[in-house]
Amino acid sequence: MHTGYPTRGVVSLVLFAAATLTFTRPNAPATHAALIPATASAGCPPAEIFGVHGTGEGPSSTDGTDSPEIKATFSAFATDEQKLGEHGARLEYYAYPTVSFAAYLPVNWPTLRIMIDNYASELEAELEHFSHSCPDTPISLVGYSFGALLINDVLTSYRNEWNYLDAVEFYGDPCWYNPHRDYRGLAQYAATVGLRLGCFSDNAYPFPLVSADGFHFLVQSLCSNKDPICGRGWPLYEIDGQIIAAALCAVYKCPHRSYVGATTSYGAEFLAENAFKHTGGGG
């Protein structure tokens, strides 16, 4: 059994073996992403929810289908907010270009880093524009898969946005980490070999490190068992299998694609309970 983190040599051997299993290359970095409203609202809504789609899905310029995970969350949220006596939250999709599962192969991590920088920067610009336009409206975020990775990058790179956030929900986050079993998402493994893909350090995940009296938005991160992207149930000594399973998620019944249903309902409930509280300090 292996101990410690994978070396660069081990990762290199795995990535070339895995690369032979797929011909799909990650999309080139794009120059523009946009917001697509899921619900209409005139003026500033009482709460704003940004949904960030995952790997291999849209909405995007190359995939017009709404993310099943984000769509299911938005649908359940609409019901939950009414149960709580709230109404009028605006739900919006962040439509960045679709990224393939091949992007998770270590050989593609440098390109992935560029894509994360570009798309997260545009997401932050959208958040900043909204928070300036509607400073009294609390913002919540929900991200699945690569969308969770983009949100992580925004949170680690643009701390000024923290004051406007109430809640963050992750599904299948590549930055996921379980210290009790040392299960790690693929982005956490990238950090162990010197390539930061937007994650907080593992001792901070999923919460940013702040002072005792500092503000903290709420975070919930859900990872299905044997999901190779976020790593639950994948011990360190199976890192090679985890990487290969992640690259093949598009062509088999991958646990990473199992979040619609009870998990998204649970996530929507968490968002509905916290999205209207305006616990941030920026309004």
Side-chain angles (χ1 to χ4, degrees):
M1 181 180 296
H2 297 289
T3 58
Y5 299 120
T7 65
R8 291 177 185 270
V10 170
V11 171
S12 296
L13 289 173
V14 171
L15 69 88
F16 285 119
T20 65
L21 299 177
T22 178
F23 296 100
T24 306
R25 311 299 294 176
N27 295 334
T31 57
H32 181 67
L35 291 176
I36 299 177
T39 58
S41 176
C44 293
E48 179 87 355
I49 316 294
F50 288 86
V52 190
H53 69 78
T55 315
E57 57 184 29
S60 72
S61 58
T62 56
D63 188 341
T65 304
D66 294 339
S67 162
E69 294 78 14
I70 304 302
K71 185 176 182 179
T73 301
F74 282 176
S75 178
F77 178 93
T79 300
D80 289 338
E81 69 169 340
Q82 293 180 12
K83 291 179 181 178
L84 295 171
E86 304 284 0
H87 67 279
R90 185 162 60 197
L91 313 175
E92 298 200 64
Y93 292 92
Y94 173 60
Y96 69 92
T98 300
V99 176
S100 75
F101 281 101
Y104 290 111
L105 289 170
V107 71
N108 294 324
W109 285 352
T111 301
L112 189 65
R113 173 67 264 173
I114 296 172
M115 288 191 288
I116 292 168
D117 281 343
N118 288 347
Y119 303 157
S121 176
E122 293 182 1
L123 174 58
E124 190 277 334
E126 297 286 1
L127 294 174
E128 183 177 29
H129 174 75
F130 179 83
S131 61
H132 288 170
S133 300
C134 298
D136 294 324
T137 299
I139 300 171
S140 293
L141 306 172
V142 52
Y144 161 64
S145 189
F146 192 79
L149 194 53
L150 294 185
I151 293 174
N152 274 283
D153 193 71
V154 169
L155 297 179
T156 57
S157 301
Y158 303 98
R159 185 165 176 164
N160 56 302
E161 294 300 331
W162 290 13
N163 286 337
Y164 298 97
L165 297 178
D166 268 17
V168 177
E169 176 70 37
F170 293 132
Y171 307 126
D173 182 9
C175 290
W176 191 80
Y177 174 60
N178 182 332
H180 305 294
R181 297 290 185 89
D182 204 27
Y183 297 148
R184 296 169 184 267
L186 293 182
Q188 289 286 4
Y189 276 120
T192 69
V193 293
L195 184 62
R196 179 185 171 277
L197 296 180
C199 306
F200 286 104
S201 59
D202 53 16
N203 67 320
Y205 185 84
F207 304 103
L209 294 174
V210 294
S211 61
D213 58 348
F215 162 71
H216 201 301
F217 49 86
L218 298 176
V219 182
Q220 177 171 270
S221 185
L222 305 176
C223 179
S224 293
N225 190 46
K226 300 305 289 186
D227 179 341
I229 304 297
C230 55
R232 180 182 175 191
W234 288 93
L236 175 62
Y237 59 85
E238 292 183 0
I239 177 60
D240 52 349
Q242 183 179 344
I243 291 174
I244 293 172
L248 294 176
C249 258
V251 295
Y252 82 103
K253 193 174 181 180
C254 180
H256 188 63
R257 308 177 76 179
S258 67
Y259 288 92
V260 174
T263 302
T264 50
S265 293
Y266 188 61
E269 182 179 17
F270 168 79
L271 290 171
E273 289 175 347
N274 296 289
F276 297 88
K277 291 183 177 179
H278 204 113
T279 53

